[in-house]
Amino acid sequence: MTAGVVIDVLLGLILVGLATQVAIGKHLFRAIVFYVAFGLAMALIWARLGAPDLALADAAIGAGLTGALMMVAFRRLVEIDPKQSQALVTRGSALAVVLAVLAAGMVATIGLTALSLERQPGDAGLQVLATLQETGLGNPITGVLLVFRGFDTLIEMAVLLTAFIGSRVITTRSRLSVTTVSGFELPLVRTLVAVILPLAVLIGMHLLWIGSDQPGGAFQAGSVLAGSGVLLLLTGTLLPASRSRALVRLALVAGVGALCLLVLAPLLQGDGPMAYLGRGSLLFAETAMMVSIAVTLTLLFAGSPSLKAGSS
Amino acid sequence: MTSAIFVLVAAAIFGLGVHGLLVSAHIMRKLLALNLMLSALFLLLIVVPASIDGHPDPVPQALVLTGIVIAVSTTAFALALMVRLFRKQGHATIHPDLDPALLGRKHGRRTAPEAEGERAP
């Protein structure tokens, strides 16, 4: 056995072990914490498989923000009714085990059968790499997301916006609260934020800027910035506000708007819709998407339509 | 070899997700299980297609990247729905023993209002 196989098996075992804790661990809160660890292990596996874009995205979104959203939702349940929030009615059932084993067997069979067939690189992937030179981009994934399958990305931004609007519609106005750590008088928190925040903004901008040529891009940058937004909310530097502001609304629709512009702008030049306009247009769209993603995810965490500066 | 190992890992995680989804009544645990199943699917999508120049095929990579963002959007919406449901009915579980409507159907004699009374403190 080579070292590579050992690493693969170890990573696989870690991932399955964490998934076990998430799926059938005793306490809900522990399951959420393990889910965050699961996301990080997943990011390691993406890196191992040679997909750094996915590693960045999964570390920031899959582990970080999904975990933060789950925890804040759990916190809201505890605030409403501490007793019922943890009520875990799990009933061990033989049928569920059988079904789970069958499902796992199905996935394994499909995957292993597909692997045993003679595998050729997909035509679409080869075409992307062959035509990438013409677009002047260096990162094939950014190429797929914004040039070859830009329409998917437009719909994706629309889904994010719709999810936000949906959450606003069903969230009651009664209380706006995010539990902050400022109440605990932790002396080092502010210093830590002062160090981490500029770094996070720098990393976000860097990911956005290099995204055209290297691993990175609007999603990763946006989620890193959203992470800083969550940090600011937790320390009470930003607070949820109940009145929506025009600027915030603009930020929420910026991504969808910029991608729509990218679809329509070529019509002015007499090209078909969605024709490629060059790197500058992509940077414009990516910046707008980054702002939208960061603001939307931060507001989803805050559970409020807007934000305001904290008192201290 | 690497691919085969990770296909098996994906299968195991998918199975765990299915089990968690079926067994647990708490909606948040169901959401966690669904997210596990999604991750298993993403892993399969990347591992199965042949790699090009030592890197996974860029098209499925872009698909998965889109999928990750869609997953966090839908999870956030589902969590908001869960909090609302909890506020309204006092528990965030889907379980026949706690749902008055299902309870009435399951045990014909016990009516829905009684179940309501049992649950309220």
Side-chain angles (χ1 to χ4, degrees), chain A residues 8-312:
Chain A
D8 289 344
V9 170
L10 275 179
L11 281 174
L13 285 179
I14 290 172
L15 198 68
V16 173
L18 289 171
T20 313
Q21 288 295 325
V22 175
I24 45 186
K26 277 239 166 63
H27 301 285
L28 186 58
F29 185 74
R30 263 175 55 124
I32 299 171
V33 175
F34 273 110
Y35 182 76
V36 175
F38 174 86
L40 289 175
M42 198 75 201
L44 274 181
I45 286 179
W46 293 135
R48 163 79 185 133
L49 290 171
D53 289 272
L54 294 181
L56 285 169
D58 224 340
I61 302 183
L65 281 165
T66 311
L69 285 170
M70 293 255 181
M71 280 184 199
V72 81
F74 181 75
R75 177 74 205 165
R76 288 198 180 113
L77 294 192
V78 173
E79 273 172 7
I80 300 169
D81 187 349
K83 258 191 246 163
Q84 279 292 335
S85 61
Q86 292 255 36
L88 270 184
V89 196
T90 25
R91 260 203 307 209
S93 116
L95 185 63
V97 175
V98 172
L99 282 173
V101 171
L102 280 178
M106 182 189 75
V107 172
T109 314
I110 292 174
L112 291 177
T113 313
L115 285 182
S116 69
L117 300 174
E118 195 177 341
R119 291 197 302 159
Q120 305 247 316
D123 282 342
L126 289 176
Q127 254 179 31
V128 166
L129 292 179
T131 8
L132 198 64
Q133 292 290 325
E134 292 171 27
T135 64
L137 296 172
N139 183 355
I141 293 144
T142 305
V144 176
L145 282 175
L146 286 165
V147 183
F148 304 112
R149 302 287 312 169
F151 194 63
D152 292 358
T153 310
L154 170 60
I155 299 297
E156 176 188 353
M157 293 307 294
V159 168
L160 188 63
L161 183 63
T162 314
F164 175 73
I165 295 172
S167 308
R168 286 307 321 142
V169 168
I170 57 171
T171 304
T172 43
R173 276 168 177 272
S174 59
R175 265 196 301 177
L176 289 170
S177 70
V178 165
T179 314
T180 62
V181 294
S182 54
F184 297 112
E185 297 288 331
L186 298 172
L188 281 180
V189 167
R190 290 205 173 276
T191 321
L192 200 65
V193 170
V195 173
I196 289 177
L197 200 70
L199 271 179
V201 172
L202 192 68
I203 291 169
M205 294 302 155
H206 176 72
L207 284 174
L208 176 74
W209 186 251
I210 62 161
S212 313
D213 295 315
Q214 286 166 40
F219 296 116
Q220 291 87 346
S223 45
V224 168
L225 290 186
S228 349
V230 168
L231 195 67
L232 288 177
L233 277 166
L234 284 176
T235 49
T237 316
L238 279 177
L239 291 173
S242 54
R243 282 195 55 185
S244 178
R245 280 192 245 157
L247 198 63
V248 174
R249 293 185 181 196
L250 189 67
L252 286 169
V253 297
V256 177
L259 285 169
C260 286
L261 272 183
L262 226 59
V263 171
L264 296 176
L267 292 174
L268 296 175
Q269 299 179 343
D271 295 329
M274 304 175 81
Y276 181 54
L277 290 171
R279 283 183 65 142
S281 68
L282 292 193
L283 194 64
F284 164 70
E286 284 210 283
T287 311
M289 279 162 62
M290 176 190 74
V291 171
S292 276
I293 292 168
V295 172
T296 311
L297 291 174
T298 309
L299 287 178
L300 278 172
F301 179 81
S304 69
S306 182
L307 297 171
K308 63 184 179 199
S311 50
S312 51

